[in-house]
Amino acid sequence: MISEILFESPNHKFIYFGKDSERPDYIIDTNQYLLIHDKVATIMDPGGIEMFSSVSSAFAGEVRMSEVKYIFSSHQDPDVISALALWLSITDSKVIIDRIWSTFISHYGARPENMIMVEDTGMKLNMTKDYAFEIIPAHYLHSPGHLNLYDPVSKILFTGDIGAALVPKEDLKGKRKPNIFVQDFDSHIKYMEYFHKRWMPSNEPKKVWIDRVSKLDVEMIAPQHGLIFKGKEMVGRFLTWFDSLKVGLYSK
Ligand SMILES: [Fe+2]
Ligand SMILES: [Fe+2]
């Protein structure tokens, strides 16, 4: 598994983990992220049970498990959060999830006392006394209770399955290690199109989300699968493409 620091200042870090060369092809490729402010950490979509040992050892290179206080779950899917019981066994953390999934992720070992249930309108969450991130609603994209995390310091928007791409391993090769950023937007479309059309149910939620996100100052869109959109131009190209895409019931 590779890692890459997406943003770093003396007391703030946003780190990418993924592109695990050991991952068998029958498991969907996932990206994991770690947000650290002072000595408090939030992990984002830490992944499935089969990824737990590689993800937890990669995270351990950056943070003490006793410093992990929040597990952000963009939605309820197994590739996002099925390892929850294992994470709760090695951290003293609370899982952040949309309220509609709270009784469902209890099947992954969560209990009401270790959950933060997010209402439909989203919320700000104070990670430390002087730092908060924003939980942005992204419902029906694809999950009916889908959340994004916006970090106002790095200006990175973690979008869960929005912007996801299924990129073949051979197309990830960079000069020294697998590439994690979109290089050529037009040639990346073929890896995103089917995923968005088939998983997302209808066009209306896209419009609501695009309006909401357009009001934020976003430097990077970081999805749970595929590659990161880095820089305002790439972010803008993704939003324009997504806006014009017909999805779900309207895609035929
Ligand atoms: Fe999903
Ligand atoms: Fe996913």
Side-chain angles (χ1 to χ4, degrees):
M1 175 161 299
I2 66 160
S3 68
E4 191 148 329
I5 295 171
L6 302 179
F7 179 90
E8 185 170 25
S9 75
N11 69 341
H12 196 89
K13 251 183 176 181
F14 201 118
I15 314 167
Y16 167 92
F17 298 85
K19 308 290 171 264
D20 192 348
S21 57
E22 315 270 287
R23 178 189 58 85
D25 286 335
Y26 61 81
I27 296 173
I28 190 168
D29 188 32
T30 54
N31 300 326
Q32 291 72 223
Y33 301 89
L34 180 60
L35 170 63
I36 308 168
H37 187 87
D38 291 330
K39 294 248 178 265
V40 180
T42 296
I43 60 180
M44 277 163 259
D45 286 11
I49 292 166
E50 74 300 325
M51 296 298 291
F52 176 73
S53 62
S54 55
V55 175
S56 57
S57 56
F59 281 4
E62 293 289 344
V63 73
R64 288 193 185 141
M65 286 303 135
S66 59
E67 294 169 354
V68 175
K69 296 296 177 197
Y70 301 100
I71 301 169
F72 179 82
S73 188
S74 63
H75 59 298
Q76 83 293 353
D77 273 347
D79 62 319
V80 169
I81 198 67
S82 65
L84 180 61
L86 299 167
W87 286 103
L88 291 173
S89 72
I90 61 162
T91 62
D92 176 21
S93 54
K94 287 196 183 317
V95 58
I96 301 166
I97 184 95
D98 191 281
R99 180 177 287 281
I100 68 165
W101 294 123
S102 58
T103 52
F104 291 68
I105 65 154
S106 298
H107 289 281
Y108 297 148
R111 288 164 171 273
E113 60 269 25
N114 52 29
M115 273 191 246
I116 294 174
M117 301 172 201
V118 181
E119 304 298 337
D120 280 353
T121 47
M123 65 185 281
K124 271 192 182 181
L125 191 137
N126 273 85
M127 217 167 99
T128 67
K129 263 188 215 146
D130 67 344
Y131 169 73
F133 57 72
E134 288 176 43
I135 300 170
I136 311 284
H139 304 318
Y140 301 102
L141 297 171
H142 68 91
S143 167
H146 203 106
L147 302 172
N148 292 173
L149 187 155
Y150 176 67
D151 169 22
V153 175
S154 64
K155 302 182 175 28
I156 297 171
L157 179 67
F158 169 62
T159 51
D161 279 342
I162 304 168
L166 307 173
V167 185
K169 269 185 189 159
E170 56 273 18
D171 288 5
L172 290 170
K173 289 200 177 87
K175 282 194 183 95
R176 284 176 294 117
K177 58 182 188 178
N179 175 44
I180 65 161
F181 297 106
V182 176
Q183 307 287 330
D184 177 344
F185 187 85
D186 291 330
S187 63
H188 189 62
I189 290 173
K190 59 182 177 294
Y191 302 133
M192 300 192 285
E193 198 165 359
Y194 178 73
F195 187 92
H196 289 79
K197 279 183 170 178
R198 183 65 183 86
W199 264 263
M200 298 193 174
S202 68
N203 291 331
E204 289 78 1
K206 285 192 308 138
K207 303 273 177 208
V208 173
W209 180 81
I210 290 166
D211 274 357
R212 194 172 280 144
V213 165
S214 300
K215 293 182 185 115
L216 299 171
D217 183 7
V218 180
E219 281 295 336
M220 277 188 226
I221 285 182
Q224 192 226 351
H225 308 279
L227 303 176
I228 295 168
F229 303 86
K230 184 179 181 182
K232 288 219 161 61
E233 194 197 329
M234 219 31 120
V235 167
R237 289 206 68 183
F238 174 72
L239 295 179
T240 305
W241 172 79
F242 192 37
D243 194 24
S244 64
L245 188 71
K246 289 189 168 56
V247 302
L249 292 169
Y250 308 97
S251 66
K252 295 263 159 50

